[in-house]
Amino acid sequence: MSDILAPWSKEEFEAELRGRSSSYHINHPFHQMMAAGTLTPAQLRGWVANRFYYQISIPLKDAAILSNCDNREIRREWILRILDHDGVNIGGVQDEGGIEAWIHLGGAVGLSRDDVTSLRHVVPAARFAVDAYVNFARRQPWQEAVASSLTELFAPHIHQQRIDTWPTQYPWVDATGLRYFKQRLTQARRDVEHGLHFTLDYFSQTRALQQRALDILQFKLDVLWALADAIMLSQCEIEIKGPKA
Ligand code: AHQ
């Protein structure tokens, strides 16, 4: 049917993309429990340890896009995402990167560096959800992988929610651990500006392509939802001894 319909205007297309916000994982029961302060310390630690696998997979996903992308202008922008996560030390510019910041978040909730980096707490269904995203980026045209990153349209809201709620809901968490969420507020907005501009242009050639972009966004929304399912339903709860127990 979408083959014979005229493409939406870019404004209508963007509204359709943003209209998928109800499927975003901020609405998942696990994240609603997080925002309400009802997660136990062991549950919060389980989430941090499992999400680390997503964090270290993002640069692999972005490198897959770069390796498939024949457009230098897109690559010049997209490579920034890898530096955001892996960190950088170029010409005096030093930044530990988001992966290191997530390890620091692990320490803030009472996990050792090895608890996080060993991946021993990552549950199989969490790996499957994250690997589905990385493999999508490896196998699909780079333009489709760009569109799949647009769940970040909704990310500033969930990062801000953690920044706003954790200090009162989880006062036992060292506040310096929130550094990751704070830096994502600006990085996600920069990413979305670039990814959305490209997606609105490239996928607006036909209504069928616009529908494809919506289906790709729904796939990625399902990846994030399935990741939250995996963490909640596997009951990954990491107990520790000591003051943050
Ligand atoms: O920390 C996140 C991150 O670096 C990224 C990159 C981006 C992508 O390329 O798919 N998506 C994303 C997301 C991050 N954090 C998630 C969260 O809830 O903390 C949200 C997630 C996203 O919305 O896609």
Side-chain angles (χ1 to χ4, degrees), residues 44-130:
L44 199 61
R45 283 190 285 270
W47 177 77
V48 172
N50 274 271
R51 263 293 305 273
F52 184 70
Y53 187 66
Y54 180 81
Q55 299 309 132
I56 60 174
S57 298
I58 290 293
L60 301 181
K61 181 272 296 186
D62 290 328
I65 293 173
L66 285 178
S67 71
N68 291 333
C69 179
D70 57 355
N71 179 315
R72 184 162 65 98
E73 288 312 306
I74 295 287
R75 292 200 307 264
R76 281 165 63 106
E77 268 296 315
W78 210 266
I79 201 163
L80 297 177
R81 295 166 183 246
I82 296 179
L83 300 181
D84 285 345
H85 287 83
D86 286 347
V88 67
N89 183 1
I90 301 175
V93 176
Q94 278 197 315
D95 180 339
E96 66 170 8
I99 288 170
E100 199 57 39
W102 198 275
I103 295 168
H104 183 77
L105 172 62
V109 299
L111 294 171
S112 71
R113 187 179 188 88
D114 186 57
D115 283 330
V116 177
T117 59
S118 65
L119 304 179
R120 63 170 160 266
H121 297 291
V122 178
V123 297
R127 279 180 190 273
F128 273 75
V130 175

Side-chain angles (χ1 to χ4, degrees), residues 24-25 31 47 51 54-55 58 61-62 78 81 85 102 133 148-149 151-152 154-155 158-159 162 180-181 184 191 220 224:
Y24 192 56
H25 65 171
H31 287 290
W47 177 77
R51 263 293 305 273
Y54 180 81
Q55 299 309 132
I58 290 293
K61 181 272 296 186
D62 290 328
W78 210 266
R81 295 166 183 246
H85 287 83
W102 198 275
Y133 184 31
S148 70
S149 72
T151 44
E152 274 206 302
F154 318 114
I158 202 169
H159 293 311
R162 293 163 189 152
Y180 182 78
F181 306 131
R184 279 314 297 173
D191 289 352
K220 173 62 182 313
L224 294 175

